[in-house]
Amino acid sequence: MNKRVLVVAPHPDDETLGLGGTISKYFAQGDEVFVLVVSGHLPPLYSRGEYEKTVSEADLAFKILGVSKSKFLEIPATMVSNQPIHELNGKISNVVNEFHPHIVFCCYPDRHIDHRIVFDSVMVVTRPVGVGKDIEIVAAYETLSETHWNAPHIEPNFTPNWVVDISEHIGKKLEAMQCYESQIHNFPSPRSKGAAEALAKFRGTQAGFPYGEAMQIIRKLS
């Protein structure tokens, strides 16, 4: 049976950095992938033009990866915590209820405040009640430039217990990353093609294959 896969990204490019290969793999298997982007480069910290540019970059990346549906909530970046929590939960819940996913991927609660707030909201929305009873897997992905900058043992440590083999899809991931011209930089920046490829090699070899993307499973139906 084909699966419905929901990826919740705090910002445009998080989905590609964390799950680009996995998204491409699900698409190749005939599954349906929905990317929900919670916030973006909006006023007052950024111009509307900067936001529109990242959205257009995201749309290009989505086409490469095989994303069939997407939604942008248009909450200003770094200001997700300013949203009343019931409103944020409601906006994410609406997508979960309408899409009825089998698998939900969310960001790990790392260095970025938006990531922590979005993670908390997804944990509420995906509880095993209502449509949440049909969610087979809830898992958190790592994001270069954020997850690996947590303070060890003071903040939560990303401890993956699932590595997806993306060996046949690493090319799509790196191609999609290049769409984010405004966000991706030259190596050794963590948001670079070289860093993403190096992490994928490391995660892959941890599990016995050339390239991988690591997740921390939060809940899994047997």
Side-chain angles (χ1 to χ4, degrees):
M1 185 181 93
N2 291 344
K3 303 294 184 181
R4 291 184 298 277
V5 181
L6 175 63
V7 177
V8 183
H11 316 98
D13 82 354
D14 288 333
E15 81 295 324
T16 301
L17 287 168
L19 289 168
T22 301
I23 292 171
S24 178
K25 183 172 187 173
Y26 278 118
F27 170 71
Q29 293 173 173
D31 300 317
E32 184 178 10
V33 182
F34 188 130
V35 174
L36 172 63
V37 182
V38 175
S39 72
H41 292 72
L42 286 157
L45 296 181
Y46 305 92
S47 69
R48 183 74 193 188
E50 288 175 290
Y51 174 73
E52 297 296 345
K53 179 172 175 56
T54 58
V55 170
S56 65
E57 291 171 344
D59 286 338
L60 290 173
F62 294 170
K63 289 177 182 176
I64 290 170
L65 297 177
V67 174
S68 57
K69 296 181 179 178
S70 62
K71 184 178 180 67
F72 296 81
L73 295 184
E74 297 200 13
I75 299 171
T78 75
M79 297 183 180
V80 176
S81 60
N82 292 351
Q83 289 275 302
I85 192 64
H86 70 280
E87 291 184 10
L88 178 63
N89 290 353
K91 291 174 181 178
I92 297 176
S93 180
N94 287 341
V95 172
V96 171
N97 289 334
E98 292 171 11
F99 187 56
H100 209 141
H102 299 100
I103 300 169
V104 176
F105 292 106
C106 66
C107 55
Y108 188 77
D110 55 35
R111 172 57 21 224
H112 201 302
I113 183 63
D114 288 348
H115 292 202
R116 300 199 292 273
I117 299 300
V118 170
F119 172 85
D120 287 344
S121 187
V122 173
M123 291 302 96
V124 171
V125 170
T126 59
R127 290 173 297 182
V129 295
V131 298
K133 291 181 179 179
D134 296 325
I135 298 175
E136 299 169 6
I137 299 174
V138 179
Y141 58 87
E142 61 183 332
T143 308
L144 279 165
S145 84
E146 304 296 350
T147 306
H148 68 321
W149 281 340
N150 272 23
H153 305 295
I154 298 173
E155 298 177 297
N157 292 325
F158 180 73
T159 308
N161 51 13
W162 178 25
V163 181
V164 177
D165 184 354
I166 64 163
S167 301
E168 296 181 6
H169 303 275
I170 183 65
K172 291 289 186 182
K173 177 187 177 86
L174 299 178
E175 183 183 355
M177 279 185 62
Q178 294 300 106
C179 294
Y180 286 105
E181 295 178 356
S182 66
Q183 305 300 311
I184 303 304
H185 308 290
N186 293 327
F187 187 80
S189 166
R191 286 177 177 262
S192 66
K193 179 179 177 180
E197 186 172 10
L199 179 61
K201 284 183 178 179
F202 174 67
R203 292 303 188 194
T205 57
Q206 282 185 305
F209 34 77
Y211 293 95
E213 286 175 337
M215 321 291 170
Q216 190 163 342
I217 294 175
I218 297 159
R219 179 164 59 87
K220 183 177 185 297
L221 294 182
S222 59

